[in-house]
Amino acid sequence: MTDAYIFDHVRSPRGRGKSDGSLHEVTPVELLSQVLGSLRDRNELDTSRVDDVIMGVVHNQGEQASNPARVAAIHAGYAEEAAGKQLNRFCASGLEAVNSAAAQVMSGMSDLCIGGGLESMSRVPMDTVGGALAVDPQVAYGSYFVPQGISADLIASKYGFSREDVDSYAVESQRRASHARDEGYFNNSIVPIKDTLGETILDHDECIRTGTTVEDLAKLNPSFQQIGDFGFNDVAIQRYPEVAKIDHVHHAGNSSQIVDGASAVLVGSKEIGKELGLTPRAKIVGFSSTGTEPTIMLTGPAPSANKVLKRCGMSKDDIDLFELNEAFAVVVLHYMKEMGIDHDEINVNGGAIAMGHPLGATGGMVLGTLIDEIERRDLSTGLVNLCIGGGMGTSTIIERI
């Protein structure tokens, strides 16, 4: 089997995913094409050697439909030989795209691929999606469907995480993200996004709330109380009767923010790297996805992490640093408890609570954050994770070169 190496990664800033966000004027294809163009230019990449551009896109309709991976590559001026495809594993789509790129290289069927993702949440809103799991009563009934926010509150209720616990975690995410931004930890990875006149419209993550306190968050009302009272609490309790009551602890301040963004990770074999003058930064040791119970939904990261560790003949003690997408604060708190790791080992530069979660792009972003931090700290190994709608988890282990 051929080893797969990561040569470079870039991402856009995360822009507020509303009509007043800085990236709202940028179409999804344009956003991704600027990221792909930057990856090409800074590596002096011969794009005719790129076998595939694989992009995770969750809301693949409207402006994000019809294979934006291929369209953005064309728009960025890539050689016509560079194929493209989009995939969807919900919130882990970006990481799954990188894993798919690595799998093509490992199999020997590709030499050089780009994985990553795209989500313009201001232009293609979440409430436009639909899908059988949420809207077909026959499907929803048999799967005990509840929205993700109810799942997050169900985890908190079942495993005993309080409002203070999740708010404290969120405050620390904001503090860490503010520190990382101020120290320039993200500067080498962020691609400034420009408007049609070539003027930079955003060059930093737009949503970090520096100085947030627990007292600030205590003033916010729970986000999912109302839909829970409409009947979803009863569905969750029907599936988990040991939970007498759903305690609604999540709100806008301790959940991931809605943002726009794109990411790209350059993956290939050692041989193509030597031929093109690319220096590997990390090796992809292994990756794994797994399904979990779909009502509680967001507990997949620990099982998928343990699955890939076992496949690679490793244990969690072999990992120097962890990165887990902060879909909701309780996801990371539960993961730390399940994995037996401390907070100083995970999400050391904050996460989606502070910076946002551009669904399809996040996997590539958090993988890049992990690589940068491992290099900065002179560490060796890292494990990146995402929870996933419908009850899944995806994990990737990397080793620094």
Side-chain angles (χ1 to χ4, degrees), residues 18 27 67 140 158 196 199 264 270-271 327 337 345 353 360 378:
K18 304 291 183 182
T27 67
N67 195 1
K158 179 174 171 60
T196 56
E199 298 293 327
K270 181 178 289 186
E271 290 71 25
K337 184 177 180 180
E345 300 175 83
I353 290 172
D378 194 22

Side-chain angles (χ1 to χ4, degrees), residues 6 9-12 14 176-177 180 185-187 189-190 205 263-265 281 321-324 346-352 355-356 361-377 382-384 398:
I6 295 172
H9 66 88
V10 293
R11 69 172 178 91
S12 74
R14 297 171 174 95
R176 293 182 180 193
Y185 294 169
F186 306 135
N187 290 355
S189 302
I190 289 181
D205 294 315
S263 61
V265 181
R281 296 175 62 182
L321 212 57
F322 294 82
E323 193 77 23
L324 172 61
I346 187 169
N347 295 3
V348 295
N349 290 324
M355 294 179 283
T362 303
M365 290 183 170
V366 293
L367 176 62
T369 298
L370 182 63
I371 293 170
D372 289 347
E373 190 61 20
I374 286 175
E375 291 176 341
R376 193 183 73 81
R377 295 186 177 211
L383 193 156
V384 60
I398 60 167

Side-chain angles (χ1 to χ4, degrees), residues 22 130 197 218 255 346 391:
S22 294
L197 299 177
S255 307
I346 187 169

Side-chain angles (χ1 to χ4, degrees), residues 311-391:
R311 286 186 182 276
C312 295
M314 303 172 71
S315 75
K316 61 102 173 176
D317 296 327
D318 295 315
I319 303 300
D320 295 319
L321 212 57
F322 294 82
E323 193 77 23
L324 172 61
N325 182 43
E326 294 175 350
F328 301 90
V330 78
V331 171
V332 188
L333 292 173
H334 180 257
Y335 180 83
M336 288 192 291
K337 184 177 180 180
E338 290 288 292
M339 295 295 293
I341 60 176
D342 297 325
H343 199 181
D344 60 4
E345 300 175 83
I346 187 169
N347 295 3
V348 295
N349 290 324
I353 290 172
M355 294 179 283
H357 175 23
L359 306 178
T362 303
M365 290 183 170
V366 293
L367 176 62
T369 298
L370 182 63
I371 293 170
D372 289 347
E373 190 61 20
I374 286 175
E375 291 176 341
R376 193 183 73 81
R377 295 186 177 211
D378 194 22
L379 300 175
S380 177
T381 58
L383 193 156
V384 60
N385 254 140
L386 291 96
C387 62
I388 308 171

Side-chain angles (χ1 to χ4, degrees), residues 182-228:
D182 295 345
E183 293 297 316
Y185 294 169
F186 306 135
N187 290 355
N188 188 52
S189 302
I190 289 181
V191 176
I193 300 301
K194 302 180 184 300
D195 62 15
T196 56
L197 299 177
E199 298 293 327
T200 296
I201 55 176
L202 189 64
D203 61 3
H204 63 279
D205 294 315
E206 190 170 27
C207 297
I208 299 174
R209 303 183 184 108
T210 302
T212 298
T213 67
V214 172
E215 290 73 26
D216 293 330
L217 298 187
K219 300 173 185 177
L220 300 177
N221 293 323
S223 294
F224 309 105
Q225 177 83 52
Q226 187 174 32
I227 61 172

Side-chain angles (χ1 to χ4, degrees), residues 16-294:
R16 186 180 298 107
K18 304 291 183 182
S19 60
D20 62 349
S22 294
L23 297 181
H24 176 66
E25 67 181 88
V26 183
T27 67
V29 164
E30 176 64 26
L31 180 61
L32 179 55
S33 71
Q34 290 193 34
V35 171
L36 291 175
S38 176
L39 186 68
R40 173 198 59 210
D41 295 346
R42 69 191 236 158
N43 291 283
E44 299 180 347
L45 187 62
D46 177 0
T47 56
S48 70
R49 304 303 303 277
V50 176
D51 292 301
D52 217 351
V53 177
I54 309 167
M55 288 290 136
V57 184
V58 176
H59 298 153
N60 43 15
Q61 72 260 8
E63 293 180 310
Q64 287 179 170
S66 300
N67 195 1
R70 171 63 172 168
V71 177
I74 294 171
H75 187 54
Y78 273 47
E80 63 184 23
E81 291 89 345
K85 64 182 177 183
Q86 67 184 64
L87 56 77
N88 185 358
R89 199 188 286 278
F90 298 146
C91 295
S93 296
L95 186 61
E96 189 64 46
V98 177
N99 292 345
S100 294
Q104 291 181 203
V105 172
M106 290 173 169
S107 71
M109 295 297 104
S110 295
D111 297 317
L112 188 67
C113 295
I114 297 171
L118 165 69
E119 209 74 37
S120 180
M121 301 181 76
S122 70
R123 297 177 72 101
V124 187
M126 286 192 293
D127 58 10
T128 64
V129 179
L133 183 61
V135 303
D136 185 335
Q138 295 183 73
V139 175
Y141 180 83
S143 62
Y144 295 90
F145 169 80
V146 298
Q148 280 196 5
I150 300 297
S151 298
D153 288 339
L154 172 60
I155 294 170
S157 303
K158 179 174 171 60
Y159 294 102
F161 295 103
S162 67
R163 171 72 181 257
E164 184 177 358
D165 291 334
V166 291
D167 282 357
S168 296
Y169 179 88
V171 167
E172 180 62 9
S173 178
Q174 294 284 356
R175 188 196 68 79
R176 293 182 180 193
S178 297
H179 177 263
R181 176 202 58 200
D182 295 345
E183 293 297 316
Y185 294 169
F186 306 135
N187 290 355
N188 188 52
S189 302
I190 289 181
V191 176
I193 300 301
K194 302 180 184 300
D195 62 15
T196 56
L197 299 177
E199 298 293 327
T200 296
I201 55 176
L202 189 64
D203 61 3
H204 63 279
D205 294 315
E206 190 170 27
C207 297
I208 299 174
R209 303 183 184 108
T210 302
T212 298
T213 67
V214 172
E215 290 73 26
D216 293 330
L217 298 187
K219 300 173 185 177
L220 300 177
N221 293 323
S223 294
F224 309 105
Q225 177 83 52
Q226 187 174 32
I227 61 172
D229 290 343
F230 281 165
F232 284 117
N233 285 349
D234 293 334
V235 174
I237 292 171
Q238 186 179 15
R239 181 63 184 84
Y240 289 89
E242 69 272 24
V243 178
K245 176 179 177 293
I246 303 297
D247 187 12
H248 292 283
V249 299
H250 288 93
H251 50 73
N254 58 32
S255 307
S256 56
Q257 298 188 59
I258 294 172
V259 293
D260 301 335
S263 61
V265 181
L266 185 61
V267 179
S269 66
K270 181 178 289 186
E271 290 71 25
I272 195 70
K274 289 180 179 178
E275 184 177 346
L276 299 181
L278 302 170
T279 302
R281 296 175 62 182
K283 183 174 82 169
I284 296 179
V285 179
F287 44 84
S288 182
S289 293
T290 191
T292 56
E293 199 283 309

